[in-house]
Amino acid sequence: QVRLVESGGGLVQAGDSLRLSCAASGRTFVNDAMGWFRQAPGKEREFVAAITRSRGNTFYADSVKGRFTVSRNAPNPVYLQMNSLKPEDTAVYYCAGGLVSGTPSDGKYLFWGQGTQVTVSS
């Protein structure tokens, strides 16, 4: 059974950096992309970044462009380098795999991790 585990979250100050990692285990699965999503208290889950397995193409939400970088060591782990962190980046960050339809930002992912907390103080 596929399991995704995020790590690397923590408490930092505005302007600091963190690197999140998403490790996959269990049976192999075919997907063209793995993504990062986040959910802040009282807000809907939102897309952050994604990377395709076949070509290494990357996708980013407008709110993190120029600050976050998604990378991979195929088939895993997948990383999310977060620089110049802002208080509004505070959220639980989730990795997702097994994209079976749709786009990396709003498609259907089969597998999700349990999340890692990122807290950015001002």
Side-chain angles (χ1 to χ4, degrees):
Q1 187 170 348
V2 174
R3 182 185 181 194
L4 302 180
V5 179
E6 304 93 341
S7 62
L11 174 62
V12 298
Q13 293 184 309
D16 286 350
S17 298
L18 282 173
R19 190 187 194 193
L20 306 184
S21 178
C22 176
S25 63
R27 74 170 184 85
T28 59
F29 58 91
V30 178
N31 65 283
D32 192 51
M34 294 192 70
W36 286 96
F37 295 77
R38 68 187 182 187
Q39 186 168 22
K43 297 182 65 178
E44 299 290 333
R45 184 181 65 192
E46 65 176 343
F47 169 75
V48 177
I51 184 167
T52 65
R53 288 178 177 268
S54 58
R55 303 288 294 274
N57 296 327
T58 57
F59 306 82
Y60 298 95
D62 289 341
S63 60
V64 305
K65 286 181 179 177
R67 299 189 298 119
F68 291 11
T69 302
V70 63
S71 61
R72 61 168 170 79
N73 184 18
N76 73 91
V78 177
Y79 304 100
L80 183 67
Q81 178 67 45
M82 305 184 295
N83 298 326
S84 301
L85 283 163
K86 304 175 180 179
E88 51 263 45
D89 294 318
T90 295
V92 176
Y93 284 71
Y94 302 89
C95 67
L99 181 66
V100 294
S101 64
T103 67
S105 61
D106 63 2
K108 180 180 179 181
Y109 289 89
L110 293 179
F111 311 107
W112 294 80
Q114 293 300 117
T116 185
Q117 177 71 49
V118 172
T119 302
V120 185
S121 63
S122 60

